[in-house]
Amino acid sequence: MRRILAIGSAVSLVLALACARQPGADTTPDSAAAATADPAAVRQAIEAANAKAADALNKGDVETWLTNYTPDAVVLPPNQPAWRGQESMRSGAQAMLSAVKISNAVVQVEDVAVSGDLAVETGVFTMTLTPKQGKAVNDKGKYVTVWQRQPDGSWKAIRDIFNSDLPPTG
C-alpha cells in the first residue's frame, strides 16, 4: 500500500509538470526574454499543460507526459531517488505505470507566482491508483512545480515535487 501511495504521489507530480505553449506566442529568444510574462496567461498555459499531463497519465502515455518538461528537468517523487533528466523521468514513469494503472487524475492549480522567466505553481491532485494485482486506492495530495519560459515563449517544467495526503500504511 505504501508503494502504491508513493507511486501515486509520483504520478501527481508528473501531472503537475505538464506544460503547453502559450497561444499566439510568436517570439524570438531575444524578445521572449525581454517580454514581461502576464501572470494570467502563464496560469492558463500551466492549467492546459496539467490537463495534457493528466490525460497522458490516464492513457499511460509517458512520451506525451515528457513533452511538458525540459530535457534537464528534475522530478522528486516520494520514497525514491530523484528523476534527473528525461531518460530518468522516462524510466521512472514507465516503472510506475507498469505497477499501477492511473485513472480519474485531476490536477487543480491553487497559486502561480511569476517572476521574469520563472513561475512557481502550487496545487492539489486526486487520482485513482489500481495496482496490477490489488485493490484501487483513491489518492489525493499536493505539489510544487517550477516552470521556466523557453526561448519560443512556451513554459516547461524544470523542477517538480509532490506527495500524498494519505497516511502511510503498514
Side-chain angles (χ1 to χ4, degrees):
M1 182 67 148
R2 174 176 267 161
R3 181 165 177 85
I4 291 171
L5 292 178
I7 290 172
S9 296
V11 171
S12 0
L13 175 60
V14 170
L15 291 173
L17 291 181
C19 179
R21 292 183 185 194
Q22 291 181 10
D26 185 22
T27 59
T28 63
D30 291 335
S31 65
T36 301
D38 171 22
V42 174
R43 183 180 179 129
Q44 184 178 18
I46 288 171
E47 287 174 339
N50 288 343
K52 176 182 168 185
D55 184 58
L57 290 173
N58 284 331
K59 292 177 179 176
D61 183 356
V62 173
E63 294 307 313
T64 297
W65 172 75
L66 279 171
T67 64
N68 296 307
Y69 293 87
T70 61
D72 60 346
V74 178
V75 175
L76 304 163
N79 305 313
Q80 57 183 298
W83 301 345
R84 297 182 181 280
Q86 291 225 334
E87 286 309 310
S88 179
M89 290 186 295
R90 178 179 287 111
S91 296
Q94 287 172 337
M96 175 184 61
L97 292 172
S98 70
V100 299
K101 177 177 180 3
I102 298 168
S103 58
N104 306 315
V106 176
V107 178
Q108 180 181 342
V109 176
E110 290 185 330
D111 183 57
V112 176
V114 181
S115 180
D117 288 339
L118 295 176
V120 178
E121 170 200 11
T122 58
V124 295
F125 66 86
T126 59
M127 71 180 75
T128 302
L129 304 168
T130 306
K132 300 297 179 189
Q133 303 290 323
K135 184 178 172 185
V137 174
N138 293 317
D139 193 14
K140 65 179 182 167
K142 65 271 184 200
Y143 64 89
V144 176
T145 302
V146 179
W147 300 82
Q148 184 176 51
R149 183 172 24 193
Q150 302 302 293
D152 67 358
S154 67
W155 289 83
K156 293 202 179 240
I158 61 171
R159 298 292 184 273
D160 201 1
I161 187 168
F162 58 95
N163 58 54
S164 176
D165 288 345
L166 300 181
T169 59

